[in-house]
Amino acid sequence: MALLERSEWYDLARTTNWTPKYATEDELYPADMSDPYGISTEEWETFDEPYKVTFREYVAVQREKDTGAYSVKTALQHSDYYDVADPAYLSMLKMHYGAIALSEYAACQPDARTARFSKAPGMRNMGLFAFLDEMRHGQIQLWFPHALVRKDRQFDWAHEAQHSNNWAVLSGRHLMDDVMMTRDVPTCAIMLSFAFETGLTNVQLVGLSEDAAKVGDHTFSNLITSIQSDEARHAQIGTPVIEIMVRNGKKAEAQQALDIAFWRVWRVFAILTGVPMDYQFPLEKRAMSFKEYMHEFVITQFQRQILDVGLDRPWYWDHFLDDVENHHHCQQCGIWSWRQTVWWNPTAGVGPREREWLEEKYPGWNASFGTYWDVVIDNILNGRDELAWGDSMTAVCNMCQIPISHRPGPEWRARAHQLDYEGRRYSFCTPVCKWIFGTDPVRYKDHHSIVDRMYSGEIEPPTFDNILKYMGCGEVSEGGRDAHDYAWIEAYRTQPQAAE
Ligand code: MN
Ligand code: MN
């Protein structure tokens, strides 16, 4: 029997809104979940997803993707790749898995919310597929590192991290709780699908897969490609939502959702992507710097998408451009120095050749960030190892939960941006994180940063050892140490002063 073409029945098949008889429309679709903006159901019904897929097609393609990724893993499982890989690369894998695997599972919740509560039938379909996507690639990202646990217990953090109070996890969780776990359907579509997935992660996954292939890790490269193809489809949920909101007089609300989420995601994204690109990947394999990547794929391309959809550039664009030059370099200094607090072994990535490259890509790097590393190098060379790692806590931003920092050296731009609210003082890394707090203080005011917990009695006594224990370091596996056990310092013995 001949089957109809998809286009002949697709529109009809997803016209699934009906007039409820036993409940009111508000009961079926409460405003808090479905639409706090009061846009009519007829308007939501115009939602038209750019990427059309049927359930039959969906499961066939997903099965193929899984078969592909698992086959590559099986074929390569007896290779010694992970025994001989550069420890800096393995650190990137550990960081990735711990930060991402269970966040994918968590993303099932906003997608399921969309599948149930969206007033747009087509969007409900897309939400269901997105839910299945996140479930699939959450599982696959737990299974792949599981095979590596026997080689290295730090890989256990793929599962462990999101259940811990590790500072890096608190930062990611605060972000995800804000943009995807506690928002209504349309706001979440802007924050998660448009700002997060379209703006930052989709192109990043393409680059990450290429980079993994370049260093010979075809297992991880295929895994990431498999995930990227899921994300590229469901990321498209956001655009039609913004178009409907702009057309219905809700541009300001859509703009604010974009502005909040883009900044929040950026702060974490820069650590997960900028640090690997500029410090962890071997110099000879680097195609572009993080900054070049940001300018090409985000600052140019995403900006165009923002304007195309009828919104404006976020108001803080200049702060953002400044952060692209600084934020991940600051965090690289901090993560390496406070390496016991993370579940991977951070690489310094600042040998003489690497520093030349950093100076070329970020003019002025040596005169600022370089001065930080000069002190580190001098301490290690002169046997003052105890000065080459941090044993207290830094000030942490009450919004992004990331250590407050800025350019070191003569410029010394680090400062806290503070705000008093209901008798409490909050500290922020930038005017943007401070602005986000001000958009909805009630939402944010009761969260305790890791530093707040040292004073509230939750971490008692607040000694460094106890803080590490609170964060889970040393429980499942030891906290981080230098990825190369200081081997990189040898280059400075023959060349005693750091390159100017
Ligand atoms: Mn995902
Ligand atoms: Mn996703």
PDB file of all heavy atoms in Angstrom, residues 6 40 231 292 410 451:
ATOM      1  N   ARG A   6       5.039  12.793   3.405  1.00  0.00           N
ATOM      2  CA  ARG A   6       4.949  13.448   4.712  1.00  0.00           C
ATOM      3  C   ARG A   6       4.240  14.802   4.628  1.00  0.00           C
ATOM      4  O   ARG A   6       3.402  15.140   5.454  1.00  0.00           O
ATOM      5  CB  ARG A   6       6.345  13.640   5.297  1.00  0.00           C
ATOM      6  CG  ARG A   6       6.296  14.299   6.672  1.00  0.00           C
ATOM      7  CD  ARG A   6       7.672  14.482   7.257  1.00  0.00           C
ATOM      8  NE  ARG A   6       8.437  15.424   6.459  1.00  0.00           N
ATOM      9  CZ  ARG A   6       9.743  15.625   6.609  1.00  0.00           C
ATOM     10  NH1 ARG A   6      10.417  14.929   7.486  1.00  0.00           N
ATOM     11  NH2 ARG A   6      10.375  16.507   5.864  1.00  0.00           N
ATOM     12  N   SER A  40      -2.533  34.785  22.682  1.00  0.00           N
ATOM     13  CA  SER A  40      -3.697  33.921  22.429  1.00  0.00           C
ATOM     14  C   SER A  40      -3.283  32.552  21.882  1.00  0.00           C
ATOM     15  O   SER A  40      -2.245  32.408  21.244  1.00  0.00           O
ATOM     16  CB  SER A  40      -4.644  34.598  21.426  1.00  0.00           C
ATOM     17  OG  SER A  40      -4.066  34.551  20.133  1.00  0.00           O
ATOM     18  N   GLU A 231      21.154  18.257  18.928  1.00  0.00           N
ATOM     19  CA  GLU A 231      21.030  19.638  19.401  1.00  0.00           C
ATOM     20  C   GLU A 231      20.654  20.583  18.262  1.00  0.00           C
ATOM     21  O   GLU A 231      19.868  21.503  18.431  1.00  0.00           O
ATOM     22  CB  GLU A 231      22.339  20.100  20.046  1.00  0.00           C
ATOM     23  CG  GLU A 231      22.711  19.342  21.322  1.00  0.00           C
ATOM     24  CD  GLU A 231      21.766  19.617  22.481  1.00  0.00           C
ATOM     25  OE1 GLU A 231      21.201  20.726  22.545  1.00  0.00           O
ATOM     26  OE2 GLU A 231      21.579  18.722  23.309  1.00  0.00           O
ATOM     27  N   GLU A 292      39.247  33.990  18.395  1.00  0.00           N
ATOM     28  CA  GLU A 292      38.932  33.956  16.958  1.00  0.00           C
ATOM     29  C   GLU A 292      37.642  33.177  16.718  1.00  0.00           C
ATOM     30  O   GLU A 292      36.795  33.565  15.912  1.00  0.00           O
ATOM     31  CB  GLU A 292      40.091  33.313  16.181  1.00  0.00           C
ATOM     32  CG  GLU A 292      41.316  34.209  16.104  1.00  0.00           C
ATOM     33  CD  GLU A 292      42.587  33.454  15.714  1.00  0.00           C
ATOM     34  OE1 GLU A 292      42.653  32.212  15.876  1.00  0.00           O
ATOM     35  OE2 GLU A 292      43.524  34.120  15.265  1.00  0.00           O
ATOM     36  N   PRO A 410      49.956  45.005  36.090  1.00  0.00           N
ATOM     37  CA  PRO A 410      49.889  46.438  36.388  1.00  0.00           C
ATOM     38  C   PRO A 410      48.481  47.025  36.255  1.00  0.00           C
ATOM     39  O   PRO A 410      48.094  47.901  37.019  1.00  0.00           O
ATOM     40  CB  PRO A 410      50.836  47.068  35.352  1.00  0.00           C
ATOM     41  CG  PRO A 410      51.734  45.958  34.907  1.00  0.00           C
ATOM     42  CD  PRO A 410      50.978  44.685  35.074  1.00  0.00           C
ATOM     43  N   VAL A 451      31.087  30.264  49.157  1.00  0.00           N
ATOM     44  CA  VAL A 451      31.722  31.110  50.182  1.00  0.00           C
ATOM     45  C   VAL A 451      30.707  31.468  51.268  1.00  0.00           C
ATOM     46  O   VAL A 451      31.015  31.429  52.461  1.00  0.00           O
ATOM     47  CB  VAL A 451      32.336  32.367  49.538  1.00  0.00           C
ATOM     48  CG1 VAL A 451      32.857  33.316  50.609  1.00  0.00           C
ATOM     49  CG2 VAL A 451      33.475  31.967  48.583  1.00  0.00           C
TER      50      VAL A 451
END
